[in-house]
Amino acid sequence: MRLIIFVAACFLSLGAWASQNISVDGKVIDKISKQPLPGVSVYIPELSRGVVTDLDGTFSLTSLPERTLTVQFSFVGYGTKTQTLRVSDRGSLIIELEESISNIDEVVVSGAYIMSKESSPIAIEKVSRDAILKVPAPSLMTTLTRTPGVNEISLGPGISKPVIRGLSFSRVLSVYQGGRFENQQWGADHGLGLSETGISNIELIKGPASIIYGSGAMAGVVNLIEETDAIAGNIEGDVNLRGYSNSLGLRSEAGVKGASENGFVWSLRAAAESHADYLDGDGNAIGNSRFNTQNIKTGIGIKKKWGDTRLRYTYLRQRLGIVEEDEVDELATGRNDRAMQLPFQDVTDHFLNSETNVFIGEDRLKATFGLHMNNRKEIEEDINEIDLGLRQSNFMYDIKYFKELTDGLEAIVGVQGFYLQNTNMQEAEEILIPDATKDDRSVYLLLNYNKDKWVAQGGIRYDYRKVVADASAPNLVDYGFLLPGEPADRTLTRTFDGVTASAGTTFRPNSEWRFRLNVAQGFRAPDLGELFSNGPHPGTNRFERGNADFVREQNIQSDFGIRYSKSDFSISGEVFYNHIDNYIFFSPTAETRGDLTIWEFEQADARLYGGEIELDIHPRSARWIAGTTSYSMVIGQRRSDMSYLPYIPAFRWNQSIDFKLNDIGVLSKPYISLTGSFVFDQNRAAPLEEETPGYYLLGLNLGSQVMVGGKPLDVYVSGTNMLNKTYLDHLSLFRPFGVNQMGRNVALNVRIPF
């Protein structure tokens, strides 16, 4: 730990001799008309720096380090373009953008190396902030499920978590402000716990990312990318107001950010959201599905020629109603009633983190530190009593050095880990898991080759984790909580370690074809619930029992993808096979404890396989219309008897068609979009799991920029489940109770910049 602090303290001193004074100038024009394009965003993700082109399409990026950088050019109505340039060979650039609704080749940052999405050997999808605003949902995860291969496990609109290619819970790692976000996600009724406040986009890694992010990323990663800084010398802000018809939901968000000419940056943003009980397709109120959240974010930083450093703080409080199996109707109160009633969750998060980059010639040193405090209360019987109460603190670190070995070949060597403490609140009436600590340490080496038509990546990693469960606290002794084997000192220690590796390549022989092949290992040490749970879980009507003898999950996934792209369309396909040893899953037993059914964790070898195919049509002869369609599938089975795994999503076919209209009076850049999602019958049910019939959901979206008093307002109207379909989602934790999903919902979103 002392070494980590010492290295962090040295960063600023390194910057003194790492300074450069280099600039890049250029001009952005329309590819067809050759006319300049004002207002184009020119952004360098590595530096978190950007500018906007002026009236004659010109731009200037100053105070750059002397190294190879990736620059992204984006503009509404035009295809995004990325360009890699070595600033030591700088000159005046001419960038040509082409009108397009589709953005295939965007920059992504989640794969350790910053590069275009099409060049990355790792399958990464990107959901922009604009996409979230145009088609919002009460849950951030619901917005992400429009991505092929991504679903959600939910306990109502306020509680949901990601499913990537059939895997969820602790197998999908959340990354927030550059650090891992641990929010007690081992619990079936514990949501992702993150919101859209102050983010620019979300990147999803589909496949094992343990080589980069460690344990918990064996299925993939959900990475929330922070909003970009204000342009130097400017103060920018906006207000977002949103309403939902179904749950009478209201969301308000406001933020302001600024940047001085000398590199000082700051930001402040706050949001509040409130929902009443939602209605299903038959108009029935789902009692106690109400929830509300409050979110505050702030940050300061400095950007200089030597690099940058930032400090951010986030506060998030969620109060989430829990739907009871036998009280759905009884808990439904007045239509606009938002008051919390029993049972509910009260979850508070404090997240403090820092990110520092220091450029040393062509090399870069990056350090991320974070401290996350999470308090979770589950209140069931009495408003003044806490049934389940957990306090968690997690200190995390990630220090890595980027070294250019030769032209086109770069290495990353790093150390990473976290120290997590989890304790039961003294006032908690029930104990599900013991007090515990997790000490996680790792070292890794990654290589990236990027030259001509080829990109190749590979890496190796060693991880060590020590878990200490402690049931010696007086409140656990008085409760009678027992660890497996009933050790005399009431403590139990487990260690997990191992080596993982990955390799992948992308081949782009020309502008039309892209081939991608990746083979990666992932791993996951069992979480605290799977190892040590031994008690009732409030809100779930279950008595849960873990197994301290579990070994770590290990998987090898291979995926292969092809994309063919022309000026009028593109088609892509991905297939994957996921071979998992020691897969842990949850299932009911015939035993009961009081009036609760005992659920036990089991471990068995498994396999998951499937793929996605997507067609994107954007004819050059009719730029006012575009359409996409995608099909995704996954099958999960035990390898011993080929029986199906529980909570595997149904096959899904998505469609959308977009119309870009001419300006109408005060309406600028209006659009209309029709969307559809056909979810097939899920008839591959696991033992003791029921099949789920398929359904079709229709959506309608429209919007425009409206000029009011010379100021532009972005107005979006979005309708989901427009046919008011009554249906059950196979991944809903409500499904066994026969509780339907949300009916027709219309959202109005207004964004007011200032």
Side-chain angles (χ1 to χ4, degrees), residues 276-291:
D277 297 338
Y278 77 83
L279 305 178
D280 67 10
D282 293 327
N284 300 314
I286 307 304
N288 212 28
S289 59
R290 63 196 65 179
F291 68 96

Side-chain angles (χ1 to χ4, degrees), residues 1 4-5 369-372 393-397 417-420:
M1 189 66 66
I4 294 170
I5 296 173
F369 298 93
L371 178 62
H372 181 196
S393 66
N394 185 25
F395 171 75
M396 66 211 75
Y397 58 90
F418 64 88
Y419 185 78
L420 184 147

Side-chain angles (χ1 to χ4, degrees), residues 355-404:
E355 287 187 278
T356 301
N357 290 281
V358 176
F359 294 96
I360 309 169
E362 283 290 329
D363 300 340
R364 176 163 64 111
L365 186 64
K366 180 174 183 178
T368 303
F369 298 93
L371 178 62
H372 181 196
M373 310 293 290
N374 171 260
N375 292 330
R376 175 177 292 275
K377 302 175 185 177
E378 298 189 13
I379 301 167
E380 187 170 2
E381 300 294 338
D382 189 307
I383 194 70
N384 297 313
E385 295 180 355
I386 300 172
D387 288 273
L388 180 68
L390 297 169
R391 288 191 178 95
Q392 175 187 278
S393 66
N394 185 25
F395 171 75
M396 66 211 75
Y397 58 90
D398 185 5
I399 303 173
K400 49 194 170 189
Y401 189 84
F402 297 73
K403 174 67 178 177
E404 185 178 46

Side-chain angles (χ1 to χ4, degrees), residues 23-36:
S23 63
V24 170
D25 302 319
K27 186 174 185 178
V28 183
I29 62 174
D30 183 283
K31 184 176 181 179
I32 305 300
S33 68
K34 306 302 181 184
Q35 294 299 308

Side-chain angles (χ1 to χ4, degrees), residues 313-491:
Y313 167 73
T314 297
Y315 165 82
L316 175 63
R317 186 181 185 190
Q318 306 170 83
R319 291 164 66 88
L320 311 162
I322 300 175
V323 176
E324 292 275 63
E325 175 182 358
D326 54 356
E327 295 186 14
V328 174
D329 296 330
E330 290 82 350
L331 291 174
T333 57
R335 180 71 185 98
N336 195 31
D337 185 5
R338 300 161 190 272
M340 299 310 299
Q341 57 183 348
L342 300 171
F344 69 94
Q345 297 180 22
D346 189 343
V347 186
T348 303
D349 290 283
H350 301 271
F351 193 79
L352 179 68
N353 95 310
S354 69
E355 287 187 278
T356 301
N357 290 281
V358 176
F359 294 96
I360 309 169
E362 283 290 329
D363 300 340
R364 176 163 64 111
L365 186 64
K366 180 174 183 178
T368 303
F369 298 93
L371 178 62
H372 181 196
M373 310 293 290
N374 171 260
N375 292 330
R376 175 177 292 275
K377 302 175 185 177
E378 298 189 13
I379 301 167
E380 187 170 2
E381 300 294 338
D382 189 307
I383 194 70
N384 297 313
E385 295 180 355
I386 300 172
D387 288 273
L388 180 68
L390 297 169
R391 288 191 178 95
Q392 175 187 278
S393 66
N394 185 25
F395 171 75
M396 66 211 75
Y397 58 90
D398 185 5
I399 303 173
K400 49 194 170 189
Y401 189 84
F402 297 73
K403 174 67 178 177
E404 185 178 46
L405 301 177
T406 63
D407 184 22
L409 179 62
E410 186 178 23
I412 299 178
V413 60
V415 294
Q416 187 181 77
F418 64 88
Y419 185 78
L420 184 147
Q421 293 178 291
N422 200 58
T423 59
N424 288 271
M425 296 179 184
Q426 293 287 335
E427 60 270 34
E429 298 288 330
E430 297 175 346
I431 307 295
L432 174 61
I433 60 174
D435 297 345
T437 61
K438 289 196 288 187
D439 187 357
D440 195 280
R441 308 174 188 181
S442 62
V443 59
Y444 56 93
L445 171 66
L446 305 172
L447 293 172
N448 181 72
Y449 175 81
N450 187 352
K451 198 167 186 181
D452 301 327
K453 302 174 182 179
W454 289 91
V455 174
Q457 291 182 0
I460 188 168
R461 179 186 182 105
Y462 172 75
D463 282 87
Y464 171 83
R465 173 177 291 184
K466 180 180 179 180
V467 182
V468 180
D470 188 348
S472 63
N475 56 321
L476 276 75
V477 174
D478 293 343
Y479 183 79
F481 185 90
L482 297 175
L483 290 171
E486 301 183 27
D489 62 355
R490 299 184 65 85
T491 64

Side-chain angles (χ1 to χ4, degrees), residues 601-641:
F601 289 97
E602 300 180 41
Q603 193 163 51
D605 296 338
R607 67 172 188 174
L608 292 94
Y609 58 94
E612 303 98 33
I613 186 169
E614 185 170 10
L615 174 65
D616 186 352
I617 301 174
H618 41 273
R620 295 181 62 183
S621 59
R623 298 182 185 276
W624 51 272
I625 188 172
T628 62
T629 183
S630 65
Y631 180 82
S632 55
M633 60 167 286
V634 58
I635 295 174
Q637 297 172 300
R638 297 193 202 189
R639 299 209 307 268
S640 58
D641 58 5

Side-chain angles (χ1 to χ4, degrees), residues 466-652:
K466 180 180 179 180
V467 182
V468 180
D470 188 348
S472 63
N475 56 321
L476 276 75
V477 174
D478 293 343
Y479 183 79
F481 185 90
L482 297 175
L483 290 171
E486 301 183 27
D489 62 355
R490 299 184 65 85
T491 64
L492 190 61
T493 301
R494 289 293 315 274
T495 59
F496 305 90
D497 71 330
V499 176
T500 53
S502 69
T505 185
T506 299
F507 177 52
R508 302 177 74 177
N510 51 47
S511 61
E512 297 178 349
W513 288 97
R514 185 267 291 151
F515 301 89
R516 178 166 58 208
L517 175 65
N518 190 58
V519 179
Q521 279 187 309
F523 70 94
R524 184 180 71 92
D527 60 42
L528 297 179
E530 293 164 341
L531 289 171
F532 306 118
S533 60
N534 186 23
H537 194 164
T540 64
N541 294 315
R542 293 196 299 257
F543 188 98
E544 301 181 4
R545 183 184 293 160
N547 188 333
D549 295 327
F550 282 157
V551 296
R552 81 176 199 168
E553 293 182 337
Q554 188 82 41
N555 74 328
I556 299 179
Q557 178 173 310
S558 58
D559 56 84
F560 176 68
I562 300 176
R563 180 185 290 277
Y564 179 70
S565 179
K566 296 287 286 185
S567 58
D568 294 309
F569 73 95
S570 65
I571 185 170
S572 63
E574 300 266 353
V575 294
F576 70 90
Y577 181 84
N578 199 347
H579 187 89
I580 307 177
D581 293 332
N582 310 312
Y583 181 82
I584 299 173
F585 57 95
F586 208 23
S587 61
T589 69
E591 302 177 65
T592 59
R593 179 71 64 91
D595 58 351
L596 301 178
T597 299
I598 295 178
W599 284 61
E600 289 188 337
F601 289 97
E602 300 180 41
Q603 193 163 51
D605 296 338
R607 67 172 188 174
L608 292 94
Y609 58 94
E612 303 98 33
I613 186 169
E614 185 170 10
L615 174 65
D616 186 352
I617 301 174
H618 41 273
R620 295 181 62 183
S621 59
R623 298 182 185 276
W624 51 272
I625 188 172
T628 62
T629 183
S630 65
Y631 180 82
S632 55
M633 60 167 286
V634 58
I635 295 174
Q637 297 172 300
R638 297 193 202 189
R639 299 209 307 268
S640 58
D641 58 5
M642 294 304 166
S643 60
Y644 294 110
L645 297 175
Y647 286 101
I648 299 296
F651 297 178
R652 188 178 65 193

